[in-house]
Amino acid sequence: MTPDLAGALAAAFLSGQWSSAGLLTSGARVVRRPAWLPVLVGEVLEVYRTAPLDRPRELAQVVASRPAAGRARAPRIRTRPAAPTAMVTNPWHLPRLDDLEDLARLLAVEPRQLAWYADVKGLARTTGDEALQHYRSSWRPAPSGAVRVLEAPKPRLKALQRRLLHEVLAGVPAHDAAHGFRPGRSVATYAAPHARRKVVLRLDLEGFFAAVSAGRVFGVLRTAGYPEPVAHGLTGLVTTVLPRWAWAGVPRPADPDLLPAHWRLGRRLAAPHLPQGAPTSPALANLAAHRLDARLSGLVQAWDGSYTRYADDLALSGDWGGDGSTRLLALVAQVVVEEGFRLNPRKTAVLRHGGRQVLGGLVVNQSPHVGRREVDRLRAVLHNCVRTGPGEQNRDGHPDFRAHLRGRVAWVAQHDPARGERLRVELDRIDWGEPQR
């Protein structure tokens, strides 16, 4: 049986009554009643007791794979009905989107506009005309010497993604171990479970957003209950492909040891993936990592330890002795690979209590706090700004040095209010009358 015939039969089956007589009647609308049709209907009903209204593509594949389908000799297709779809399950009580028309209404766009932004034909992902693309790409060097590629959606698509984030994705719970990009969670809650532990393991996932493929996003949305066409449309709205010409403009890192990771990044960006820069990507990355978080949480709990994740930063801690850390790291690496991610070995650190244990910029040897050296350096900068003016202290050329210092002071105050208040007093003494450099 051809895929075309299987699709037409699946659509016809879904549009009628889900019973033996109903499927026979529906099938006869597509092909004149051949001898193999009653047998095929029976085989389909053995697989599905109720109509799989959320899975028309899956149904077509099942139809094509039944033994009776092998007896079909390319008959003429009389009609091609449209397959109705509906949410069969809705575990988190999300907005009900039975079909693409519902999705278009949710986003307040016309169906043709939805198809354009979802790039269902792949035009925006393949054209060399930047005006026809939905994202603007750029790159910047990372502190490690690697190159970070950013893909920012253009304003209209960004507005649609924000709506999806607030009305759809916010209702899907991430794993409890995920602390990044979640209300009520922060770097402090990510670091706190690891305070006063004998050993802290700090790991990093390589190319986190780019490693989340469109297939994984589709799986998340299907788990949320959205029918295949809706999940496919949503996936198109939140994933992209970096054009070849854009990747050609990204420089290779100078460090030869970073070239393999750079090559892997290029491979990931060349396939549909979560763009780093879209408002929906952090939430979807958390959801795509749910199984990873669940497995690592269970693994570390079996070792009487703690596990948390903040975006691509993994933290594990416990009171292991001897070679326990080495054995656990090997198990963690295996789980990470099995879940479709990869550890960055250059950022793996084993931090013992005798030294500084730093997670997310916070020292956790006793309780999460900003390290004394960082506070002292900030205090010295503020003091020199008061004494000689802020212009001479802006050595890194921050375009808004005042906002930069305010952010650093707020960071300290968030984790140590007393020290933060003293720094804020010093910040208020700075005379900003002269032009900033």
Side-chain angles (χ1 to χ4, degrees):
M1 179 177 291
T2 65
D4 193 29
L5 175 57
L9 284 172
F13 290 163
L14 292 175
S15 63
Q17 183 181 4
W18 197 261
S19 65
S20 179
L23 295 187
L24 279 172
T25 300
S26 299
R29 293 166 52 201
V30 176
V31 292
R32 294 187 182 276
R33 291 201 178 194
W36 50 263
L37 183 58
V39 181
L40 177 64
V41 165
E43 292 172 344
V44 169
L45 289 174
E46 287 179 359
V47 179
Y48 299 105
R49 298 181 61 184
T50 59
L53 289 171
D54 59 336
R55 291 161 285 167
R57 294 181 184 179
E58 178 188 293
L59 175 59
Q61 292 173 351
V62 168
V63 168
S65 67
R66 297 304 89 188
R71 296 164 55 187
R73 295 289 182 258
R76 184 178 68 86
I77 299 176
R78 302 171 65 188
T79 184
R80 302 173 189 272
T85 58
M87 292 185 74
V88 175
T89 61
N90 193 352
W92 298 296
H93 307 290
L94 302 176
R96 186 175 184 90
L97 304 174
D98 288 328
D99 51 35
L100 291 174
E101 290 186 1
D102 286 345
L103 177 57
R105 279 192 291 269
L106 176 73
L107 298 176
V109 297
E110 296 294 330
R112 59 183 179 81
Q113 293 175 310
L114 176 63
W116 164 244
Y117 287 114
D119 197 21
V120 295
K121 295 184 179 180
L123 299 177
R125 304 182 183 200
T126 57
T127 180
D129 187 347
E130 188 173 359
L132 299 179
Q133 293 170 350
H134 297 319
Y135 292 82
R136 294 186 177 95
S137 61
S138 61
W139 63 271
R140 66 186 184 193
S144 64
V147 177
R148 182 174 293 128
V149 177
L150 304 178
E151 297 166 288
K154 293 181 179 179
R156 183 59 176 141
L157 177 58
K158 186 174 184 179
L160 298 180
Q161 291 174 341
R162 287 193 182 281
R163 191 161 190 173
L164 289 175
L165 174 63
H166 296 304
E167 299 197 26
V168 176
L169 299 179
V172 185
H175 192 276
D176 193 56
H179 289 257
F181 319 111
R182 298 184 64 189
R185 303 292 182 93
S186 65
V187 172
T189 64
Y190 156 73
H194 309 288
R196 297 180 298 279
R197 303 306 293 263
K198 184 176 179 180
V199 180
V200 174
L201 306 180
R202 189 177 66 210
L203 304 96
D204 177 84
L205 297 176
E206 180 185 285
F208 182 47
F209 289 111
V212 180
S213 66
R216 297 180 78 126
V217 173
F218 179 83
V220 167
L221 297 167
R222 287 288 295 119
T223 300
Y226 287 117
E228 289 172 338
V230 176
H232 186 264
L234 287 167
T235 300
L237 290 170
V238 298
T239 61
T240 189
V241 169
L242 185 71
R244 289 185 179 181
W245 62 263
W247 175 249
V250 177
R252 296 191 302 174
D255 186 345
D257 291 339
L258 295 173
L259 291 178
H262 187 74
W263 176 81
R264 287 190 293 270
L265 176 62
R267 290 287 301 272
R268 292 176 180 136
L269 294 177
H273 62 276
L274 284 183
Q276 185 170 352
T280 45
S281 290
L284 282 167
N286 273 343
L287 298 177
H290 190 283
R291 182 178 163 89
L292 172 71
D293 291 335
R295 292 187 64 184
L296 291 183
S297 292
L299 172 63
V300 177
Q301 286 174 10
W303 284 57
D304 295 322
S306 300
Y307 163 76
T308 57
R309 179 178 58 81
Y310 193 98
D312 55 355
D313 294 324
L314 313 182
L316 302 80
S317 64
D319 298 320
W320 314 300
D323 64 346
S325 298
T326 301
R327 290 188 288 121
L328 181 59
L329 278 173
L331 293 173
V332 169
Q334 180 180 342
V335 170
V336 168
V337 170
E338 289 174 354
E339 292 304 317
F341 296 98
R342 186 185 183 99
L343 290 177
N344 183 347
R346 294 167 64 97
K347 293 186 177 181
T348 297
V350 179
L351 310 172
R352 304 192 181 277
H353 199 268
R356 292 175 80 244
Q357 297 172 315
V358 180
L359 292 174
L362 300 178
V363 180
V364 298
N365 293 68
Q366 296 302 321
S367 61
H369 65 279
V370 181
R372 179 182 297 274
R373 282 180 288 182
E374 182 176 346
V375 174
D376 289 345
R377 283 196 296 267
L378 178 55
R379 182 183 294 112
V381 170
L382 295 174
H383 176 75
N384 290 335
C385 285
V386 172
R387 186 170 59 87
T388 64
E392 295 184 6
Q393 299 303 311
N394 189 13
R395 298 188 176 95
D396 293 330
H398 294 285
D400 191 342
F401 191 45
R402 182 187 298 192
H404 170 72
L405 291 179
R406 282 177 178 168
R408 291 181 62 183
V409 170
W411 167 253
V412 176
Q414 179 182 356
H415 306 288
D416 191 334
R419 283 183 176 177
E421 182 57 31
R422 290 194 291 270
L423 293 174
R424 190 174 287 112
V425 169
E426 194 75 358
L427 176 65
D428 291 340
R429 295 177 57 209
I430 299 175
D431 181 4
W432 297 95
E434 64 182 79
Q436 299 181 39
R437 292 196 298 180

